[in-house]
Amino acid sequence: QVQLVESGGGQVQPGGSLRLSCAVSGIHPDFPDLYVIGWFRQAPGKEREGVSCISITDGSTHYSDSVKGRFTLSRDNSANMVFLQMNSMKPEDTGVYYCGAELRVGGAQYVCTYGHRWIEDWGQGTRVTVSS
């Protein structure tokens, strides 16, 4: 079982910045079956959507059109932490941000686009509010 813990959420004014962190643990060292780690968000009344995902296999990243150029996804050298740097934030970025781990299929773009439908390993989420 994979454990994920998000942190870094809070309130920020439009145009401001926020940095989210996701700590990942519980992956068996003798059987690493982790393919993609991603950030997803859910706004009130809306379906959960992929924001940015990274492939553990090749390091490739994917960003949704709404955040491209404003958000940056990265991970530490040991791959046990993943970060989301959010700049030039907008009110529509408001929502609960979840870190999710995909253990069965790869492809950052594929998982980011459709993974919200089947990913089982989620963190508890961290709330982000963008308002004046």
Side-chain angles (χ1 to χ4, degrees):
Q1 184 178 4
V2 178
Q3 291 84 45
L4 307 104
V5 180
E6 303 95 338
S7 62
Q11 183 173 343
V12 65
Q13 296 186 22
S17 298
L18 210 58
R19 184 174 183 262
L20 305 182
S21 300
C22 174
V24 184
S25 62
I27 301 176
H28 198 290
D30 294 330
F31 192 73
D33 198 18
L34 178 63
Y35 291 94
V36 176
I37 297 178
W39 284 99
F40 298 74
R41 69 186 180 189
Q42 189 165 16
K46 297 183 65 178
E47 186 180 36
R48 187 173 300 186
E49 63 177 348
V51 176
S52 183
C53 301
I54 183 170
S55 171
I56 305 302
T57 303
D58 59 17
S60 63
T61 56
H62 174 78
Y63 299 89
S64 67
D65 291 338
S66 63
V67 307
K68 191 175 300 182
R70 299 187 297 118
F71 292 6
T72 302
L73 183 67
S74 62
R75 62 183 177 95
D76 70 359
N77 293 333
S78 61
N80 62 351
M81 293 283 291
V82 63
F83 309 95
L84 184 66
Q85 179 66 48
M86 305 184 292
N87 298 325
S88 302
M89 300 191 71
K90 304 175 180 179
E92 49 263 43
D93 294 323
T94 295
V96 179
Y97 284 68
Y98 299 89
C99 186
E102 174 55 51
L103 308 180
R104 299 184 181 275
V105 300
Q109 181 176 359
Y110 182 75
V111 173
C112 233
T113 303
Y114 302 106
H116 66 279
R117 300 179 182 269
W118 73 76
I119 288 177
E120 297 180 354
D121 296 293
W122 299 101
Q124 292 297 311
T126 184
R127 184 174 297 276
V128 172
T129 302
V130 185
S131 63
S132 301

